[in-house]
């Protein structure tokens, strides 16, 4: 009932709004990975640093999301720094 009232008022539950923000941020990360294949040298290094900063921000949001969701099965996992670095490095090497 409370969710219905919030929806009618144009609002949503905090964890749902945060989930939407996470989706948008993850889409930006994917776009950064797509673009990384075309970069070289210093551009690639700057893009890697930016990607790792953005990935750390997403990971922080994922941690917050895990605390807000009403059940563990709705959690989305995490994006630790070593995984983010491996993702960027594998994509930029492939390009």
């Amino acid at each position: 009932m409370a969710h219905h009232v919030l929806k009618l008022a144009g609002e949503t539950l905090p964890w749902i709004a945060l989930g939407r923000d996470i989706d948008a941020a993850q889409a930006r990360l994917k776009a950064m990975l797509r673009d990384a294949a075309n970069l070289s040298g210093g551009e690639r290094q700057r893009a890697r640093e930016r990607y790792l900063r953005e990935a750390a921000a997403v990971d922080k949001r994922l941690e917050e999301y895990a605390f807000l969701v009403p059940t563990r099965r709705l959690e989305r996992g995490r994006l630790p720094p070593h995984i983010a670095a491996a993702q960027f490095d594998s994509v930029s090497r492939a390009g």
Side-chain angles (χ1 to χ4, degrees), residues 4-42:
H4 179 71
V5 171
L6 285 171
K7 190 174 180 180
L8 289 176
E11 298 291 329
T12 189
L13 297 170
W15 65 271
I16 293 173
L18 182 57
R20 291 179 185 148
D21 291 345
I22 291 169
D23 291 341
Q26 287 176 328
R28 286 190 301 273
L29 287 177
K30 286 181 184 178
M32 291 172 77
L33 287 177
R34 272 193 316 271
D35 296 341
N38 302 321
L39 302 175
S40 62

mmCIF file of all heavy atoms in Angstrom, residues 4-42:
data_model
loop_
_atom_site.group_PDB
_atom_site.id
_atom_site.type_symbol
_atom_site.label_atom_id
_atom_site.label_comp_id
_atom_site.label_asym_id
_atom_site.label_seq_id
_atom_site.Cartn_x
_atom_site.Cartn_y
_atom_site.Cartn_z
ATOM 1 N N HIS A 4 2.329 1.914 -3.345
ATOM 2 C CA HIS A 4 1.309 2.432 -4.251
ATOM 3 C C HIS A 4 1.112 3.934 -4.040
ATOM 4 O O HIS A 4 1.030 4.707 -5.007
ATOM 5 C CB HIS A 4 -0.004 1.668 -4.047
ATOM 6 C CG HIS A 4 -1.111 2.152 -4.927
ATOM 7 N ND1 HIS A 4 -1.124 1.934 -6.282
ATOM 8 C CD2 HIS A 4 -2.231 2.864 -4.636
ATOM 9 C CE1 HIS A 4 -2.218 2.473 -6.795
ATOM 10 N NE2 HIS A 4 -2.900 3.051 -5.816
ATOM 11 N N VAL A 5 1.057 4.372 -2.800
ATOM 12 C CA VAL A 5 0.884 5.795 -2.479
ATOM 13 C C VAL A 5 2.090 6.589 -2.983
ATOM 14 O O VAL A 5 1.934 7.653 -3.583
ATOM 15 C CB VAL A 5 0.679 6.000 -0.965
ATOM 16 C CG1 VAL A 5 0.717 7.478 -0.598
ATOM 17 C CG2 VAL A 5 -0.630 5.377 -0.527
ATOM 18 N N LEU A 6 3.298 6.059 -2.756
ATOM 19 C CA LEU A 6 4.501 6.729 -3.249
ATOM 20 C C LEU A 6 4.478 6.844 -4.771
ATOM 21 O O LEU A 6 4.812 7.884 -5.334
ATOM 22 C CB LEU A 6 5.758 5.972 -2.808
ATOM 23 C CG LEU A 6 6.165 6.110 -1.350
ATOM 24 C CD1 LEU A 6 7.290 5.132 -1.024
ATOM 25 C CD2 LEU A 6 6.588 7.532 -1.037
ATOM 26 N N LYS A 7 4.073 5.767 -5.431
ATOM 27 C CA LYS A 7 4.033 5.748 -6.894
ATOM 28 C C LYS A 7 3.052 6.795 -7.417
ATOM 29 O O LYS A 7 3.344 7.512 -8.378
ATOM 30 C CB LYS A 7 3.668 4.365 -7.388
ATOM 31 C CG LYS A 7 3.823 4.179 -8.876
ATOM 32 C CD LYS A 7 3.572 2.742 -9.267
ATOM 33 C CE LYS A 7 3.732 2.550 -10.751
ATOM 34 N NZ LYS A 7 3.502 1.174 -11.163
ATOM 35 N N LEU A 8 1.908 6.889 -6.798
ATOM 36 C CA LEU A 8 0.914 7.888 -7.201
ATOM 37 C C LEU A 8 1.446 9.310 -7.012
ATOM 38 O O LEU A 8 1.093 10.216 -7.774
ATOM 39 C CB LEU A 8 -0.380 7.704 -6.421
ATOM 40 C CG LEU A 8 -1.211 6.466 -6.775
ATOM 41 C CD1 LEU A 8 -2.422 6.364 -5.859
ATOM 42 C CD2 LEU A 8 -1.645 6.520 -8.228
ATOM 43 N N ALA A 9 2.285 9.505 -6.023
ATOM 44 C CA ALA A 9 2.855 10.823 -5.751
ATOM 45 C C ALA A 9 4.084 11.103 -6.623
ATOM 46 O O ALA A 9 4.707 12.147 -6.500
ATOM 47 C CB ALA A 9 3.228 10.930 -4.280
ATOM 48 N N GLY A 10 4.429 10.160 -7.499
ATOM 49 C CA GLY A 10 5.598 10.338 -8.354
ATOM 50 C C GLY A 10 6.904 10.032 -7.653
ATOM 51 O O GLY A 10 7.969 10.384 -8.133
ATOM 52 N N GLU A 11 6.833 9.385 -6.528
ATOM 53 C CA GLU A 11 8.012 9.024 -5.751
ATOM 54 C C GLU A 11 8.200 7.507 -5.793
ATOM 55 O O GLU A 11 7.349 6.773 -6.280
ATOM 56 C CB GLU A 11 7.848 9.468 -4.286
ATOM 57 C CG GLU A 11 7.709 10.951 -4.109
ATOM 58 C CD GLU A 11 8.991 11.706 -4.417
ATOM 59 O OE1 GLU A 11 10.090 11.151 -4.213
ATOM 60 O OE2 GLU A 11 8.896 12.845 -4.888
ATOM 61 N N THR A 12 9.317 7.056 -5.272
ATOM 62 C CA THR A 12 9.568 5.628 -5.186
ATOM 63 C C THR A 12 10.389 5.347 -3.936
ATOM 64 O O THR A 12 10.864 6.273 -3.274
ATOM 65 C CB THR A 12 10.274 5.115 -6.459
ATOM 66 O OG1 THR A 12 10.300 3.697 -6.428
ATOM 67 C CG2 THR A 12 11.672 5.659 -6.588
ATOM 68 N N LEU A 13 10.558 4.087 -3.651
ATOM 69 C CA LEU A 13 11.358 3.703 -2.497
ATOM 70 C C LEU A 13 12.827 4.016 -2.771
ATOM 71 O O LEU A 13 13.286 3.914 -3.915
ATOM 72 C CB LEU A 13 11.185 2.209 -2.216
ATOM 73 C CG LEU A 13 9.758 1.784 -1.848
ATOM 74 C CD1 LEU A 13 9.632 0.273 -1.826
ATOM 75 C CD2 LEU A 13 9.363 2.375 -0.508
ATOM 76 N N PRO A 14 13.567 4.391 -1.739
ATOM 77 C CA PRO A 14 14.972 4.777 -1.946
ATOM 78 C C PRO A 14 15.807 3.702 -2.638
ATOM 79 O O PRO A 14 16.624 4.012 -3.506
ATOM 80 C CB PRO A 14 15.489 5.037 -0.529
ATOM 81 C CG PRO A 14 14.279 5.375 0.253
ATOM 82 C CD PRO A 14 13.158 4.574 -0.350
ATOM 83 N N TRP A 15 15.585 2.454 -2.297
ATOM 84 C CA TRP A 15 16.411 1.408 -2.915
ATOM 85 C C TRP A 15 16.070 1.212 -4.392
ATOM 86 O O TRP A 15 16.939 0.858 -5.192
ATOM 87 C CB TRP A 15 16.329 0.098 -2.130
ATOM 88 C CG TRP A 15 15.000 -0.576 -2.102
ATOM 89 C CD1 TRP A 15 13.999 -0.375 -1.194
ATOM 90 C CD2 TRP A 15 14.523 -1.573 -3.001
ATOM 91 N NE1 TRP A 15 12.926 -1.178 -1.494
ATOM 92 C CE2 TRP A 15 13.225 -1.938 -2.593
ATOM 93 C CE3 TRP A 15 15.065 -2.195 -4.118
ATOM 94 C CZ2 TRP A 15 12.465 -2.882 -3.257
ATOM 95 C CZ3 TRP A 15 14.304 -3.154 -4.783
ATOM 96 C CH2 TRP A 15 13.024 -3.483 -4.341
ATOM 97 N N ILE A 16 14.848 1.497 -4.772
ATOM 98 C CA ILE A 16 14.466 1.401 -6.185
ATOM 99 C C ILE A 16 15.112 2.542 -6.975
ATOM 100 O O ILE A 16 15.655 2.340 -8.059
ATOM 101 C CB ILE A 16 12.939 1.396 -6.352
ATOM 102 C CG1 ILE A 16 12.357 0.108 -5.752
ATOM 103 C CG2 ILE A 16 12.545 1.537 -7.814
ATOM 104 C CD1 ILE A 16 10.844 0.055 -5.705
ATOM 105 N N ALA A 17 15.077 3.743 -6.420
ATOM 106 C CA ALA A 17 15.715 4.889 -7.078
ATOM 107 C C ALA A 17 17.219 4.667 -7.194
ATOM 108 O O ALA A 17 17.812 4.943 -8.249
ATOM 109 C CB ALA A 17 15.418 6.166 -6.298
ATOM 110 N N LEU A 18 17.827 4.149 -6.141
ATOM 111 C CA LEU A 18 19.260 3.867 -6.187
ATOM 112 C C LEU A 18 19.565 2.799 -7.230
ATOM 113 O O LEU A 18 20.564 2.899 -7.954
ATOM 114 C CB LEU A 18 19.764 3.437 -4.810
ATOM 115 C CG LEU A 18 21.256 3.152 -4.688
ATOM 116 C CD1 LEU A 18 22.084 4.355 -5.113
ATOM 117 C CD2 LEU A 18 21.590 2.732 -3.262
ATOM 118 N N GLY A 19 18.713 1.807 -7.353
ATOM 119 C CA GLY A 19 18.895 0.777 -8.372
ATOM 120 C C GLY A 19 18.876 1.362 -9.776
ATOM 121 O O GLY A 19 19.658 0.957 -10.633
ATOM 122 N N ARG A 20 18.021 2.331 -10.006
ATOM 123 C CA ARG A 20 17.986 3.005 -11.318
ATOM 124 C C ARG A 20 19.275 3.783 -11.563
ATOM 125 O O ARG A 20 19.805 3.794 -12.679
ATOM 126 C CB ARG A 20 16.773 3.921 -11.406
ATOM 127 C CG ARG A 20 15.468 3.167 -11.472
ATOM 128 C CD ARG A 20 14.294 4.103 -11.536
ATOM 129 N NE ARG A 20 13.051 3.345 -11.469
ATOM 130 C CZ ARG A 20 11.939 3.787 -10.920
ATOM 131 N NH1 ARG A 20 11.888 5.008 -10.423
ATOM 132 N NH2 ARG A 20 10.863 3.040 -10.897
ATOM 133 N N ASP A 21 19.764 4.448 -10.520
ATOM 134 C CA ASP A 21 21.033 5.173 -10.645
ATOM 135 C C ASP A 21 22.175 4.207 -10.961
ATOM 136 O O ASP A 21 23.042 4.518 -11.780
ATOM 137 C CB ASP A 21 21.349 5.926 -9.348
ATOM 138 C CG ASP A 21 20.420 7.090 -9.086
ATOM 139 O OD1 ASP A 21 19.703 7.519 -10.022
ATOM 140 O OD2 ASP A 21 20.405 7.576 -7.935
ATOM 141 N N ILE A 22 22.165 3.061 -10.319
ATOM 142 C CA ILE A 22 23.192 2.047 -10.566
ATOM 143 C C ILE A 22 23.114 1.558 -12.004
ATOM 144 O O ILE A 22 24.138 1.417 -12.679
ATOM 145 C CB ILE A 22 23.069 0.886 -9.564
ATOM 146 C CG1 ILE A 22 23.466 1.355 -8.156
ATOM 147 C CG2 ILE A 22 23.912 -0.315 -9.998
ATOM 148 C CD1 ILE A 22 23.133 0.364 -7.051
ATOM 149 N N ASP A 23 21.910 1.314 -12.491
ATOM 150 C CA ASP A 23 21.742 0.876 -13.891
ATOM 151 C C ASP A 23 22.347 1.890 -14.854
ATOM 152 O O ASP A 23 23.058 1.528 -15.796
ATOM 153 C CB ASP A 23 20.263 0.672 -14.226
ATOM 154 C CG ASP A 23 19.650 -0.517 -13.524
ATOM 155 O OD1 ASP A 23 20.401 -1.410 -13.060
ATOM 156 O OD2 ASP A 23 18.401 -0.557 -13.438
ATOM 157 N N ALA A 24 22.075 3.166 -14.616
ATOM 158 C CA ALA A 24 22.605 4.220 -15.492
ATOM 159 C C ALA A 24 24.128 4.285 -15.400
ATOM 160 O O ALA A 24 24.814 4.419 -16.422
ATOM 161 C CB ALA A 24 21.985 5.572 -15.123
ATOM 162 N N ALA A 25 24.666 4.164 -14.198
ATOM 163 C CA ALA A 25 26.118 4.219 -14.019
ATOM 164 C C ALA A 25 26.790 3.014 -14.669
ATOM 165 O O ALA A 25 27.853 3.139 -15.282
ATOM 166 C CB ALA A 25 26.465 4.288 -12.534
ATOM 167 N N GLN A 26 26.168 1.841 -14.567
ATOM 168 C CA GLN A 26 26.730 0.654 -15.212
ATOM 169 C C GLN A 26 26.686 0.779 -16.731
ATOM 170 O O GLN A 26 27.599 0.320 -17.417
ATOM 171 C CB GLN A 26 26.005 -0.605 -14.729
ATOM 172 C CG GLN A 26 26.371 -0.965 -13.306
ATOM 173 C CD GLN A 26 25.591 -2.152 -12.766
ATOM 174 O OE1 GLN A 26 24.436 -2.376 -13.128
ATOM 175 N NE2 GLN A 26 26.222 -2.901 -11.884
ATOM 176 N N ALA A 27 25.673 1.417 -17.260
ATOM 177 C CA ALA A 27 25.605 1.654 -18.703
ATOM 178 C C ALA A 27 26.745 2.581 -19.138
ATOM 179 O O ALA A 27 27.353 2.374 -20.200
ATOM 180 C CB ALA A 27 24.253 2.245 -19.088
ATOM 181 N N ARG A 28 27.043 3.589 -18.322
ATOM 182 C CA ARG A 28 28.167 4.481 -18.632
ATOM 183 C C ARG A 28 29.492 3.719 -18.602
ATOM 184 O O ARG A 28 30.359 3.933 -19.451
ATOM 185 C CB ARG A 28 28.212 5.668 -17.664
ATOM 186 C CG ARG A 28 27.121 6.699 -17.924
ATOM 187 C CD ARG A 28 27.310 7.968 -17.126
ATOM 188 N NE ARG A 28 27.334 7.765 -15.681
ATOM 189 C CZ ARG A 28 26.260 7.747 -14.899
ATOM 190 N NH1 ARG A 28 25.060 7.922 -15.428
ATOM 191 N NH2 ARG A 28 26.379 7.569 -13.601
ATOM 192 N N LEU A 29 29.639 2.807 -17.639
ATOM 193 C CA LEU A 29 30.859 1.994 -17.578
ATOM 194 C C LEU A 29 31.003 1.133 -18.828
ATOM 195 O O LEU A 29 32.102 1.017 -19.391
ATOM 196 C CB LEU A 29 30.856 1.103 -16.330
ATOM 197 C CG LEU A 29 31.103 1.786 -14.986
ATOM 198 C CD1 LEU A 29 30.998 0.765 -13.856
ATOM 199 C CD2 LEU A 29 32.457 2.475 -14.956
ATOM 200 N N LYS A 30 29.909 0.541 -19.275
ATOM 201 C CA LYS A 30 29.958 -0.277 -20.490
ATOM 202 C C LYS A 30 30.367 0.559 -21.699
ATOM 203 O O LYS A 30 31.138 0.112 -22.546
ATOM 204 C CB LYS A 30 28.612 -0.952 -20.742
ATOM 205 C CG LYS A 30 28.336 -2.103 -19.813
ATOM 206 C CD LYS A 30 27.001 -2.752 -20.111
ATOM 207 C CE LYS A 30 26.719 -3.835 -19.092
ATOM 208 N NZ LYS A 30 25.434 -4.477 -19.294
ATOM 209 N N ALA A 31 29.856 1.775 -21.782
ATOM 210 C CA ALA A 31 30.226 2.664 -22.886
ATOM 211 C C ALA A 31 31.708 3.013 -22.814
ATOM 212 O O ALA A 31 32.394 3.068 -23.845
ATOM 213 C CB ALA A 31 29.372 3.932 -22.851
ATOM 214 N N MET A 32 32.215 3.226 -21.615
ATOM 215 C CA MET A 32 33.634 3.517 -21.451
ATOM 216 C C MET A 32 34.481 2.331 -21.912
ATOM 217 O O MET A 32 35.530 2.517 -22.543
ATOM 218 C CB MET A 32 33.944 3.866 -19.995
ATOM 219 C CG MET A 32 33.351 5.190 -19.558
ATOM 220 S SD MET A 32 33.529 5.476 -17.782
ATOM 221 C CE MET A 32 35.246 5.948 -17.712
ATOM 222 N N LEU A 33 34.024 1.117 -21.614
ATOM 223 C CA LEU A 33 34.751 -0.075 -22.051
ATOM 224 C C LEU A 33 34.742 -0.196 -23.573
ATOM 225 O O LEU A 33 35.753 -0.554 -24.183
ATOM 226 C CB LEU A 33 34.155 -1.334 -21.415
ATOM 227 C CG LEU A 33 34.443 -1.543 -19.932
ATOM 228 C CD1 LEU A 33 33.733 -2.797 -19.427
ATOM 229 C CD2 LEU A 33 35.930 -1.623 -19.665
ATOM 230 N N ARG A 34 33.603 0.097 -24.181
ATOM 231 C CA ARG A 34 33.509 0.045 -25.652
ATOM 232 C C ARG A 34 34.511 1.012 -26.285
ATOM 233 O O ARG A 34 35.178 0.687 -27.259
ATOM 234 C CB ARG A 34 32.107 0.404 -26.121
ATOM 235 C CG ARG A 34 31.148 -0.743 -26.203
ATOM 236 C CD ARG A 34 29.897 -0.357 -26.972
ATOM 237 N NE ARG A 34 29.343 0.959 -26.635
ATOM 238 C CZ ARG A 34 28.449 1.189 -25.684
ATOM 239 N NH1 ARG A 34 27.984 0.186 -24.966
ATOM 240 N NH2 ARG A 34 27.993 2.399 -25.458
ATOM 241 N N ASP A 35 34.605 2.202 -25.725
ATOM 242 C CA ASP A 35 35.485 3.231 -26.275
ATOM 243 C C ASP A 35 36.961 2.947 -26.007
ATOM 244 O O ASP A 35 37.819 3.429 -26.740
ATOM 245 C CB ASP A 35 35.129 4.604 -25.702
ATOM 246 C CG ASP A 35 33.739 5.056 -26.101
ATOM 247 O OD1 ASP A 35 33.192 4.500 -27.083
ATOM 248 O OD2 ASP A 35 33.193 5.954 -25.424
ATOM 249 N N ALA A 36 37.259 2.176 -24.970
ATOM 250 C CA ALA A 36 38.645 1.931 -24.577
ATOM 251 C C ALA A 36 39.433 1.198 -25.646
ATOM 252 O O ALA A 36 40.648 1.402 -25.782
ATOM 253 C CB ALA A 36 38.689 1.142 -23.273
ATOM 254 N N ALA A 37 38.780 0.376 -26.425
ATOM 255 C CA ALA A 37 39.473 -0.406 -27.454
ATOM 256 C C ALA A 37 40.108 0.483 -28.516
ATOM 257 O O ALA A 37 41.080 0.085 -29.156
ATOM 258 C CB ALA A 37 38.506 -1.390 -28.099
ATOM 259 N N ASN A 38 39.615 1.687 -28.683
ATOM 260 C CA ASN A 38 40.111 2.585 -29.725
ATOM 261 C C ASN A 38 41.189 3.544 -29.240
ATOM 262 O O ASN A 38 41.642 4.389 -29.999
ATOM 263 C CB ASN A 38 38.954 3.392 -30.314
ATOM 264 C CG ASN A 38 37.881 2.494 -30.881
ATOM 265 O OD1 ASN A 38 38.182 1.475 -31.487
ATOM 266 N ND2 ASN A 38 36.640 2.860 -30.674
ATOM 267 N N LEU A 39 41.577 3.440 -27.976
ATOM 268 C CA LEU A 39 42.528 4.390 -27.405
ATOM 269 C C LEU A 39 43.935 3.814 -27.377
ATOM 270 O O LEU A 39 44.119 2.599 -27.379
ATOM 271 C CB LEU A 39 42.099 4.764 -25.982
ATOM 272 C CG LEU A 39 40.706 5.363 -25.849
ATOM 273 C CD1 LEU A 39 40.374 5.578 -24.384
ATOM 274 C CD2 LEU A 39 40.593 6.657 -26.625
ATOM 275 N N SER A 40 44.903 4.697 -27.327
ATOM 276 C CA SER A 40 46.281 4.232 -27.241
ATOM 277 C C SER A 40 47.073 5.128 -26.290
ATOM 278 O O SER A 40 46.696 6.262 -26.020
ATOM 279 C CB SER A 40 46.938 4.232 -28.624
ATOM 280 O OG SER A 40 46.966 5.543 -29.127
ATOM 281 N N GLY A 41 48.173 4.593 -25.784
ATOM 282 C CA GLY A 41 49.114 5.350 -24.967
ATOM 283 C C GLY A 41 48.501 6.090 -23.802
ATOM 284 O O GLY A 41 47.805 5.524 -22.969
ATOM 285 N N GLY A 42 48.804 7.394 -23.764
ATOM 286 C CA GLY A 42 48.353 8.236 -22.660
ATOM 287 C C GLY A 42 46.847 8.341 -22.567
ATOM 288 O O GLY A 42 46.292 8.442 -21.474
#
